[in-house]
């Protein structure tokens, strides 16, 4: 069975020809379909980015001290590590971490799984029904309403 890294590398290799103007030869209907499909793919990738950011954040918690993933890699915070690894802005790293933390499932002290606080938003993001911007807006509004 292939690892996640191997699957991602395979997907990149499959998509590379498309990135080299293959779509320019498409007819109008094919181009419109391609645009919609590409957006769906982008949303899937975005949901994975958010989920991975949440895991980086969780493993980089300050209370972990020297065992913090960020500290093991020479960074103080998970956001700094994410920014370094992915070459994204600090603002984007923080945005992904914030949304990921809000949608991440948890565990109790005894190891029992805890559902996400916003299951409908998490499901909609993973299935591509909404994008990251919409998910952030919904979570922000729901968080404000809970206060």
């Amino acid at each position: 069975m292939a690892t996640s890294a191997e699957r991602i590398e395979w997907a990149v290799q499959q998509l590379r020809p498309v990135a080299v103007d293959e779509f320019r030869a498409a007819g109008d209907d094919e181009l419109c379909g391609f645009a919609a499909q590409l957006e769906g793919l982008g949303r899937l990738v975005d949901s994975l980015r958010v989920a991975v950011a949440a895991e980086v954040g969780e493993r980089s918690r300050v209370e972990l001290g020297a065992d913090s993933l960020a500290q093991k890699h020479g960074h103080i915070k998970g956001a700094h590590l994410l920014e370094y690894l992915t070459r994204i802005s600090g603002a984007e790293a923080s945005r992904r971490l914030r949304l990921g933390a809000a949608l991440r499932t948890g565990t109790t002290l005894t190891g029992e799984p805890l559902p996400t606080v916003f299951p409908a938003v998490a499901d909609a993001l993973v299935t591509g029904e909404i994008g990251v911007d919409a998910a952030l807006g919904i979570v922000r509004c729901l968080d404000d309403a809970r206060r």
Side-chain angles (χ1 to χ4, degrees):
M1 177 139 221
T3 66
S4 295
E6 290 169 338
R7 288 184 192 134
I8 290 170
E9 182 57 34
W10 178 86
V12 168
Q13 294 304 321
Q14 298 302 306
L15 290 172
R16 189 158 280 133
V18 175
V20 186
D21 296 339
E22 186 177 289
F23 61 90
R24 290 181 192 260
D28 291 349
D29 290 342
E30 187 180 0
L31 179 62
C32 290
F34 177 72
Q37 287 179 315
L38 190 57
E39 183 61 25
L41 177 62
R43 286 183 176 184
L44 173 61
V45 170
D46 286 346
S47 73
L48 290 169
R49 287 177 176 151
V50 167
V52 168
E55 191 63 28
V56 168
E58 178 65 20
R59 294 183 189 190
S60 297
R61 295 185 330 269
V62 174
E63 60 268 20
L64 295 174
D67 290 332
S68 160
L69 181 62
Q71 286 199 16
K72 287 178 183 177
H73 289 271
H75 299 276
I76 297 170
K77 296 178 173 182
H80 298 154
L81 175 60
L82 197 60
E83 185 179 348
Y84 171 77
L85 292 172
T86 61
R87 297 181 304 247
I88 57 175
S89 70
E92 180 61 22
S94 295
R95 194 171 91 112
R96 290 180 190 175
L97 284 163
R98 188 171 52 255
L99 181 58
L103 300 181
R104 190 176 192 281
T105 58
T107 54
T108 65
L109 293 174
T110 60
E112 298 295 316
L114 288 172
T116 177
V117 178
F118 305 108
V121 178
D123 288 345
L125 183 65
V126 169
T127 61
E129 292 176 53
I130 62 172
V132 170
D133 291 336
L136 276 165
I138 293 166
V139 165
R140 189 176 308 115
C141 289
L142 293 173
D143 257 345
D144 289 347
R146 289 183 346 162
R147 294 180 195 167

